[in-house]
Amino acid sequence: MSEPAGEAKGSRESLEGRAAALDATDELGKLRAQFVLDDTVYLDGNSLGALPRSVPGRVEDVVRRQWGSLRIRSWDESGWWTAPERIGDRIAPLVGAAPGQIVVGDSTSVNVFKAVVGAVRLAGGGGEGREGAGVRDEILVDATTFPTDGYIAASAARMTGRTLRPVAPEEVPDALSGRTAAVLLNHVDYRTGRLHDLPSLTAAIRAAGAVSVWDLCHSAGALPVGLDEHGVDLAVGCTYKYLNGGPGSPAYLYVRRDHQSRFDSPLPGWNSHADPFGMTPDHVPASGALRGRVGTPDILSMLALEAALEVWDDVSIDAVRTKSLALTDFFLECVEAYVLDGAVEPVTPSAHAERGSQVALRCADAGRVMRRLIEQGVIGDFREPNILRFGFTPLYVGFGDAERAARILSRTL
């Protein structure tokens, strides 16, 4: 098969050679062997991370020994009861949080609901909540947010008697006022891969007396977050993307330590009770991040997640970020070299400070193009109406993968 005309702009041999050299010196390259992968180029880890090799054996042990033999004794003897906070402490360093502030359980959507309603209650108004709070009757939400976040923010606004106001993240500082109770933002835009300025936006929200809620679904495990360092109030995230927890693996909720005694969850279940087995008619919330628990933990998927997180032992999130930027830079360079002018348009920012760990390309007939790519062994996805998305998971994606994906994209177009 002949090479596409677009390759005349760059040397395939030189780019393949550079990819091989970069892979040979990649300090994270050895981690690829810890995942179940074939010879496809898997660039959809921003939707579903690859399977870590440690997970199947752990799940079999949970099913056969812990559930099959120990049965109910496993709540104590196998540590089932403490799994939500224990696994939360494993996630904590990946998002820049000290132990004791993250609880794992429920879906991202449920945790967004807990966080937004909890944020409104923390902000208070009329003398309650944050010092100097007035009538805080407005919730700001990222206008470009993942749809579910918007749906839940709207429901939370109706429930709490607040008004919902969608704004672009960069417009948040000017939109803040004494009316603002809570602000829900995405750290990385799921369509474009744009990284929003968490430190400065969080500082602006705090200065306005409002409560920040960050959705970390597309940043946790891909880049440093710095929840504690930057004073984030509440945060949520999924674990099945860059954390490789498996389809539908449980999400997590971060509650900053100095808010925990006042965090009032809208879902006070028996698992968040100070005395869960007391079975009293009144709810007395547990101390600490355990207030974010609701019902019985989903043990099978939770312990699969715990096994998956073992691949992060001794891995620096800063090293992951360095490789992520190098990978996405190299992919964009290969696309520019191989693809005919005008066939695709990058919509992911070129500036490192504004880029997550995915590259989004605007392309005519993107759905059909992605189907053709998948047929040829390049696995990405697309978003309506015309966006090709390629997620780069530094733990198992290499520079050779990036070059091959760009070359096959050029041939396909």
Side-chain angles (χ1 to χ4, degrees), residues 12 23 31 69 118 143 146 169 195 261 355 381 388:
R12 170 177 170 179
D23 283 332
L31 295 172
S69 298
F146 187 76
L195 173 65
S261 63
R355 187 195 307 166
D381 65 13
L388 300 172

Side-chain angles (χ1 to χ4, degrees), residues 186-240:
N186 285 252
H187 195 190
V188 174
D189 186 293
Y190 79 100
R191 289 188 187 89
T192 67
R194 176 180 291 276
L195 173 65
H196 297 302
D197 190 348
L198 180 147
S200 68
L201 289 170
T202 301
I205 294 165
R206 182 171 59 251
V211 178
S212 59
V213 181
W214 283 92
D215 182 329
L216 309 178
C217 285
H218 288 268
S219 58
L223 52 91
V225 177
L227 293 178
D228 288 352
E229 176 186 359
H230 302 302
V232 169
D233 296 308
L234 303 168
V236 302
C238 68
T239 61
Y240 48 80

Side-chain angles (χ1 to χ4, degrees), residues 11-47:
S11 167
R12 170 177 170 179
E13 291 75 14
S14 65
L15 289 171
E16 285 184 325
R18 282 179 54 203
L22 289 166
D23 283 332
T25 58
D26 175 18
E27 64 179 282
L28 299 179
K30 62 183 181 296
L31 295 172
R32 181 182 174 94
Q34 297 190 36
F35 292 86
V36 178
L37 293 164
D38 51 27
D39 62 352
T40 61
V41 178
Y42 189 65
L43 301 182
D44 210 7
N46 54 330
S47 287

Side-chain angles (χ1 to χ4, degrees), residues 201-331:
L201 289 170
T202 301
I205 294 165
R206 182 171 59 251
V211 178
S212 59
V213 181
W214 283 92
D215 182 329
L216 309 178
C217 285
H218 288 268
S219 58
L223 52 91
V225 177
L227 293 178
D228 288 352
E229 176 186 359
H230 302 302
V232 169
D233 296 308
L234 303 168
V236 302
C238 68
T239 61
Y240 48 80
K241 300 183 191 298
Y242 297 107
L243 298 181
N244 310 298
S249 57
Y252 56 90
L253 171 68
Y254 165 87
V255 182
R256 204 175 80 200
R257 196 176 308 282
D258 58 356
H259 288 324
Q260 290 176 2
S261 63
R262 294 191 303 111
F263 179 70
D264 184 7
S265 173
L267 297 173
W270 78 284
N271 244 245
S272 63
H273 199 288
D275 181 15
F277 293 97
M279 304 300 173
T280 60
D282 298 322
H283 188 267
V284 179
S287 60
L290 271 66
R291 290 184 175 213
R293 293 174 65 152
V294 184
T296 305
D298 183 349
I299 292 300
L300 296 181
S301 60
M302 191 167 292
L303 296 188
L305 166 63
E306 186 173 34
L309 290 170
E310 291 175 0
V311 303
W312 288 94
D313 291 347
D314 302 320
V315 174
S316 161
I317 194 66
D318 290 320
V320 169
R321 177 59 169 166
T322 297
K323 182 178 176 182
S324 165
L325 291 172
L327 276 170
T328 49
D329 277 344
F330 185 67
F331 177 69

Side-chain angles (χ1 to χ4, degrees), residues 29-93:
K30 62 183 181 296
L31 295 172
R32 181 182 174 94
Q34 297 190 36
F35 292 86
V36 178
L37 293 164
D38 51 27
D39 62 352
T40 61
V41 178
Y42 189 65
L43 301 182
D44 210 7
N46 54 330
S47 287
L48 177 64
L51 171 66
R53 292 187 181 278
S54 61
V55 171
R58 184 68 55 81
V59 171
E60 182 177 15
D61 178 71
V62 173
V63 172
R64 291 187 180 277
R65 183 182 65 85
Q66 297 180 29
W67 180 15
S69 298
L70 294 177
R71 292 179 286 276
I72 201 166
R73 292 160 50 196
S74 280
W75 284 106
D76 293 321
E77 295 182 25
S78 301
W80 288 1
W81 185 257
T82 58
E85 56 268 28
R86 183 179 72 243
I87 301 171
D89 285 347
R90 292 205 71 146
I91 294 172

